[in-house]
């Protein structure tokens, strides 16, 4: 298949297991039309302050976000645990101790060969200078170019070996940084699958995407560039100091006097710019969230003339990102000119002192040349630290965001002691015993819900918007855990099952279809990956999808594009129904499954669904009450409670809440 398929979702029969289902707002209990799932673009004009804007966006619903709160670092905050982020990053690097040791050895060797070069090159300068002086004084035959050539060839060889060693350590470190990035992305992807659904009610999709893309990329680039540079800089600094002391202790002390000034300057600027680099990463996640939302809801934005408001919202976030990035890079950009000034000041002083010592025959001319080269090299490591300081700050900000995500509380652990229920022994009975549940602590959605469903029964759940119908299904499949009470399947608490085995008992068809970029056959096969082509075709026939599939240019091999826009909404629904048919589950859940098809197709699907539901427990969530007349039991919900239950005829005869809902579908306004 073109895309990797999550085996947990597949075996569980999460027929629509998409991010959109995961990120539904906790206050929305019924399936919504596409327009209802979008945040009103006009509300974006009300967001004035950056922090208030982030909080409001995380409170609002819509694609890629859910309910209140947010786990990402808020702009303006300093890293909450800088040392912990560094410790976690070093833990990932710990798996590559040998490779990093190789990098260290070759970096040191490369540095040593490069450091020795100027000292030897100074010997050539001295030989040339003294030869010329001797020739002028008449006491010699001039420079010995054979000796000078030998010295130059030696220096050339040293630099060549240094370059080879530098290439090797760079190659090894690039391999290490890419493997660390690979493991981080793998762990983030695995973490996404282990996080509870409630997490995605609080966090924007774009923010999660930013962590797995931008933040990991920052870490990768920093490890690749900065680690070897730091090793080389430290080794160079130590080696150069040794060589400088071997030439002149006085000039070395003068050079060292510039070091505290340089380090103090770097530390001061880093302390001021760190928070701006953290802001930059956070606002980048915010901008990604806006782009993902507006692109995913492009049709709705166009339909409601929301382009201007969407652009204003993006410009506001983009301007805030620009301001944070400008401050961060401006402060870090101050380092280079200030460092160059300090370096040039020390260079001038060394030249003056060196000339004075050479005049007094304390040191040779070649030693002055070598020392000046070492002086430049001595400033280089400090300058390199200044250059990579902004990268290091970004890395720690990005690493903290990544590891904050990886440290998020996961789903309640499953039983691993061998006492989990065997799904093969479970019948289709379902019980709800005094269930209480709320998506947030301050708002209860389900209040003391109790119901008994026998195996093979066809159960309809009806009620107004926000009554808790879809929430019941989420609790049944253990997308969320109840606060009190119990949900039983086959007489066993759902908490006694392994999650994938529990969800493997269910087949689910939602109003919001989800297809991925693969062939039609692969999309149907998503519920059971080992299904043969014949089984896929048979499922499509039961779902009344075979006819339209065979009329397509490539039939079952037609590749559905990324947005699934090359087939109609009704055709998408038929494919998801075929997916449920192929799974052949013990319990079937239909959540407004026929809402996107025409009346004629709906009648065909109803016949197919009746055949599919025969002999298995079925839950049907419907707004059009005419579609559930033949249900064995209808549960009427209002404000989280069952207010009525019975058959269609019984409930109509009772002339209560259900009768009011049913008759309201046929009411016609009297005013013209």
């Amino acid at each position: 298949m073109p895309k990797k398929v999550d085996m947990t979702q597949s075996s569980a029969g999460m027929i629509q297991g998409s991010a959109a289902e995961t990120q539904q707002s906790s206050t929305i209990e019924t399936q919504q039309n596409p327009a209802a799932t979008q945040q009103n673009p006009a509300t974006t004009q009300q967001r004035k302050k950056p922090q208030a804007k982030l909080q409001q966006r995380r409170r609002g619903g819509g694609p890629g976000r859910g309910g209140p709160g947010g786990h990402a670092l808020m702009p303006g905050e300093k890293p909450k645990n800088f040392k912990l982020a560094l410790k976690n990053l070093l833990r990932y690097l710990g798996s590559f101790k040998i490779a990093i040791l190789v990098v260290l050895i070759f970096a040191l060797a490369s540095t040593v060969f490069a450091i020795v070069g100027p000292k030897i090159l100074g010997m050539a300068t001295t030989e040339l200078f003294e030869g010329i002086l001797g020739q002028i004084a008449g006491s010699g035959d001039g420079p010995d170019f054979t000796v000078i050539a030998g010295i130059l060839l030696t220096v050339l060889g040293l630099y060549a070996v240094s370059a080879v060693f530098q290439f090797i350590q760079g190659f090894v470190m690039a391999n290490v940084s890419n493997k660390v990035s690979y493991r981080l992305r793998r762990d983030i992807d695995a973490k996404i699958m282990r996080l509870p659904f409630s997490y995605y009610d609080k966090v924007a999709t774009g923010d999660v995407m930013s962590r797995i893309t931008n933040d990991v990329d920052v870490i990768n680039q920093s490890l690749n560039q900065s680690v070897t540079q730091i090793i080389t800089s430290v080794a160079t600094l130590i080696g150069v100091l040794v060589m400088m002391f071997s030439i002149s202790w006085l000039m070395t002390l003068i050079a060292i006097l510039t070091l505290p000034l340089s380090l103090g300057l770097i530390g001061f600027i880093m302390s001021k710019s760190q928070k701006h680099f953290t802001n930059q990463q956070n606002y980048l996640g915010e901008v990604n969230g806006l782009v993902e939302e507006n692109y995913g809801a492009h049709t709705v934005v166009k339909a409601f003339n929301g382009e201007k408001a969407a652009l204003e919202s993006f410009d506001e976030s983009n301007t805030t990102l620009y301001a944070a990035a400008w401050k961060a890079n401006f402060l870090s950009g101050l380092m280079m000119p200030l460092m160059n000034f300090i370096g040039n000041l020390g260079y001038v002083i060394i030249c003056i002192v060196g000339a004075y010592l050479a005049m007094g025959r304390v040191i040779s001319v070649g030693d002055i040349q070598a020392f000046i080269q070492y002086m430049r090299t001595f400033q280089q490591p400090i300058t390199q630290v200044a250059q990579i300081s902004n990268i290091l700050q970004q890395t720690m900000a990005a690493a903290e965001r990544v590891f904050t995500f990886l440290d998020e509380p996961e789903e309640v652990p499953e039983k691993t002691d061998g006492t989990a229920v065997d799904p093969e022994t479970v019948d289709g009975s379902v019980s709800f015993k005094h269930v209480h549940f709320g998506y947030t602590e301050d708002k209860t959605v389900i209040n003391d819900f109790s119901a008994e469903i026998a195996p093979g029964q066809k159960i309809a759940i009806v009620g107004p918007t926000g009554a808790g119908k879809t929430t019941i299904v989420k609790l049944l499949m253990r997308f969320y855990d109840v606060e009190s009470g119990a949900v039983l399947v086959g007489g066993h608490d759902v908490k006694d099952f392994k999650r994938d085995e529990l969800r493997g008992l269910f087949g689910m068809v939602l109003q919001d279809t989800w297809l991925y970029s693969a062939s039609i056959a692969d999309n149907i096969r998503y519920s059971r990956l080992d299904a043969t082509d014949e089984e896929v075709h048979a499922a499509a026939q039961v779902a009344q999808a075979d006819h339209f599939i065979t009329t397509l240019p490539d039939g079952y091999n037609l590749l559905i594009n990324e947005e699934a826009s090359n087939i109609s909404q009704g055709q998408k629904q038929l494919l998801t129904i075929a997916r449920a048919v192929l799974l052949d589950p013990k319990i079937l859940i239909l959540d407004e499954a026929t809402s996107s098809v025409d009346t004629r197709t709906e009648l065909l699907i109803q016949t197919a669904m009746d055949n599919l539901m025969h002999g298995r427990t079925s839950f049907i969530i419907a707004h059009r009450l005419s579609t559930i007349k033949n249900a064995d039991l209808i549960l009427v919900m209002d404000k989280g409670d069952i207010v009525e239950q019975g058959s269609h005829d019984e409930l109509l005869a009772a002339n209560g809440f259900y009768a009011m809902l049913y008759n309201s579908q046929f009411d016609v306004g009297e005013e013209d």
Side-chain angles (χ1 to χ4, degrees):
M1 291 187 183
K3 284 191 177 182
K4 182 180 74 173
V5 177
D6 175 47
M7 298 298 293
T8 302
Q9 288 184 340
S10 173
S11 63
M14 282 183 57
I15 307 305
Q16 307 296 336
S18 66
E21 161 65 15
T22 306
Q23 296 151 356
Q24 285 180 323
S25 173
S26 60
T27 61
I28 300 175
E29 305 306 330
T30 58
Q31 300 302 315
Q32 308 164 356
N33 58 54
T37 63
Q38 307 303 320
Q39 190 178 32
N40 186 350
T43 61
T44 59
Q45 296 177 341
Q46 302 171 1
R47 297 175 292 184
K48 302 299 182 183
K49 296 182 179 180
Q51 292 191 0
K53 178 183 71 172
L54 278 179
Q55 293 169 351
Q56 182 171 349
R57 290 192 63 79
R58 287 171 180 146
R59 285 197 297 269
R65 59 181 42 80
H71 288 270
L73 293 174
M74 291 297 294
E77 291 181 342
K78 293 183 178 180
K80 296 178 181 178
N81 202 328
F82 187 94
K83 293 182 179 179
L84 182 59
L86 179 60
K87 180 181 178 180
N88 286 328
L89 190 57
L90 292 176
R91 176 168 53 85
Y92 272 79
L93 288 171
S95 302
F96 306 96
K97 293 178 181 177
I98 296 178
I100 293 177
L101 181 61
V102 171
V103 170
L104 180 61
I105 292 173
F106 277 91
L108 292 175
S110 172
T111 303
V112 168
F113 282 112
I115 289 174
V116 174
K119 179 71 173 178
I120 299 176
L121 192 62
M123 296 168 59
T125 303
T126 301
E127 177 68 25
L128 179 64
F129 179 75
E130 292 180 351
I132 292 175
L133 287 180
Q135 188 176 25
I136 294 174
S139 59
D141 298 329
D144 188 343
F145 288 102
T146 302
V147 174
I148 294 174
I151 294 173
L152 294 177
L153 288 175
T154 301
V155 173
L156 181 62
L158 289 174
Y159 286 152
V161 173
S162 176
V164 171
F165 284 178
Q166 190 174 13
F167 170 79
I168 294 174
Q169 57 94 7
F171 176 81
V172 174
M173 195 62 218
N175 186 48
V176 169
S177 63
N178 280 286
K179 285 185 176 180
V180 169
S181 299
Y182 168 82
R183 293 187 180 185
L184 282 172
R185 289 194 175 97
R186 180 196 62 189
D187 291 348
I188 292 174
D189 184 64
K191 183 74 175 185
I192 290 173
M193 300 302 174
R194 296 195 302 268
L195 284 174
F197 276 40
S198 57
Y199 177 81
Y200 299 103
D201 291 336
K202 306 172 185 177
V203 179
T205 300
D207 187 67
V208 177
M209 291 173 61
S210 181
R211 295 175 196 247
I212 200 172
T213 54
N214 296 326
D215 292 332
V216 174
D217 279 342
V218 168
I219 294 173
N220 179 22
Q221 294 173 10
S222 179
L223 290 177
N224 191 21
Q225 300 173 10
S226 304
V227 172
T228 54
Q229 201 166 12
I230 290 174
I231 295 173
T232 302
S233 298
V234 172
T236 300
L237 189 62
I238 296 174
V240 166
L241 279 174
V242 172
M243 299 303 294
M244 289 169 69
F245 269 112
S246 68
I247 295 174
S248 171
W249 64 268
L250 178 59
M251 290 194 297
T252 303
L253 290 179
I254 295 174
I256 291 176
L257 289 177
T258 64
L259 187 59
L261 183 60
S262 300
L263 294 178
L265 182 64
I266 292 174
F268 175 76
I269 295 179
M270 286 182 65
S271 66
K272 297 298 182 182
S273 61
Q274 176 64 50
K275 64 179 181 180
H276 298 300
F277 280 105
T278 301
N279 291 350
Q280 180 181 352
Q281 291 303 114
N282 288 327
Y283 281 120
L284 185 59
E286 171 71 8
V287 169
N288 283 339
L290 271 174
V291 172
E292 186 271 338
E293 178 185 71
N294 289 328
Y295 183 76
H298 188 65
T299 303
V300 177
V301 173
K302 286 280 189 182
F304 289 93
N305 297 318
E307 297 96 326
K308 182 179 179 181
L311 286 173
E312 289 176 352
S313 177
F314 179 82
D315 286 342
E316 183 181 353
S317 293
N318 198 30
T319 301
T320 307
L321 172 61
Y322 166 79
W326 187 89
K327 291 176 183 177
N329 289 283
F330 172 76
L331 288 174
S332 63
L334 289 176
M335 291 186 183
M336 285 305 299
L338 293 176
M339 291 295 299
N340 286 333
F341 174 77
I342 295 173
N344 289 332
L345 181 62
Y347 179 73
V348 170
I349 297 174
I350 290 298
C351 289
I352 295 174
V353 174
Y356 176 78
L357 294 176
M359 290 173 60
R361 296 283 183 174
V362 177
I363 59 175
S364 65
V365 174
D367 285 339
I368 294 177
Q369 176 206 324
F371 196 94
I372 291 174
Q373 284 185 272
Y374 283 131
M375 182 62 186
R376 282 297 190 190
T377 307
F378 178 72
Q379 290 293 333
Q380 185 179 1
I382 305 174
T383 305
Q384 287 174 341
V385 172
Q387 287 176 326
I388 66 175
S389 61
N390 58 340
I391 300 177
L392 292 175
Q393 291 178 88
Q394 282 183 309
T395 302
M396 288 302 103
E400 187 172 43
R401 281 169 49 82
V402 168
F403 291 116
T404 297
F405 179 78
L406 291 175
D407 290 338
E408 285 292 336
E410 299 181 1
E411 290 182 312
V412 177
E414 298 177 330
K415 289 190 174 183
T416 57
D417 56 0
T419 62
V421 178
D422 182 1
E424 297 296 329
T425 64
V426 174
D427 59 18
S429 64
V430 175
S431 300
F432 296 91
K433 296 186 179 298
H434 304 288
V435 171
H436 291 80
F437 172 75
Y439 290 98
T440 58
E441 294 181 359
D442 58 342
K443 184 174 182 180
T444 300
V445 178
I446 302 296
N447 301 287
D448 197 23
F449 180 90
S450 296
E452 294 289 338
I453 295 95
Q457 276 194 312
K458 182 178 179 181
I459 309 300
I461 305 176
V462 301
T465 298
K469 303 184 298 297
T470 302
T471 300
I472 292 296
V473 172
K474 293 178 181 179
L475 296 177
L476 186 61
M477 298 188 70
R478 209 186 170 193
F479 293 158
Y480 297 86
D481 284 325
V482 299
E483 294 174 2
S484 63
V487 180
L488 308 179
V489 174
H492 301 279
D493 195 312
V494 292
K495 296 179 181 179
D496 293 333
F497 291 83
K498 291 183 178 179
R499 283 188 178 85
D500 58 341
E501 293 179 348
L502 170 68
R503 293 166 188 167
L505 297 172
F506 296 86
M508 178 182 282
V509 181
L510 302 177
Q511 177 185 8
D512 295 327
T513 59
W514 178 79
L515 301 173
Y516 67 103
S517 183
S519 68
I520 286 179
D522 286 341
N523 271 279
I524 297 175
R525 192 180 280 114
Y526 186 79
S527 63
R528 187 157 64 85
L529 299 180
D530 59 351
T532 64
D533 289 341
E534 291 74 16
E535 291 173 323
V536 170
H537 296 171
Q541 290 173 354
V542 173
Q544 309 296 316
D546 181 72
H547 174 71
F548 93 81
I549 294 174
T550 54
T551 61
L552 295 173
D554 296 320
Y556 283 87
N557 294 321
L558 175 69
L559 184 66
I560 296 177
N561 60 28
E562 186 175 356
E563 299 298 322
S565 58
N566 54 341
I567 58 175
S568 71
Q569 183 65 32
Q571 290 171 338
K572 296 178 194 176
Q573 193 71 74
L574 291 173
L575 293 182
T576 60
I577 293 172
R579 190 186 290 171
V581 173
L582 181 63
L583 181 62
D584 191 25
K586 290 186 178 181
I587 303 174
L588 187 66
I589 298 173
L590 305 175
D591 197 344
E592 289 289 338
T594 61
S595 62
S596 299
V597 297
D598 59 86
T599 304
R600 178 178 177 274
T601 304
E602 180 181 358
L603 293 175
L604 295 175
I605 292 176
Q606 284 297 138
T607 302
M609 289 297 98
D610 288 339
N611 295 331
L612 177 62
M613 290 185 287
H614 180 71
R616 59 169 52 90
T617 307
S618 303
F619 291 85
I620 306 169
I621 298 175
H623 281 148
R624 287 183 286 183
L625 304 186
S626 58
T627 63
I628 48 92
K629 291 181 180 180
N630 60 344
D632 297 320
L633 178 65
I634 299 175
L635 302 178
V636 185
M637 296 189 65
D638 186 33
K639 298 179 180 178
D641 292 320
I642 297 178
V643 294
E644 292 179 333
Q645 56 181 305
S647 66
H648 174 73
D649 294 335
E650 292 171 347
L651 293 172
L652 283 182
N655 198 29
F657 191 69
Y658 177 82
M660 182 190 68
L661 289 176
Y662 183 79
N663 292 326
S664 66
Q665 298 181 114
F666 308 104
D667 288 342
V668 179
E670 296 180 358
E671 296 183 7
D672 293 329

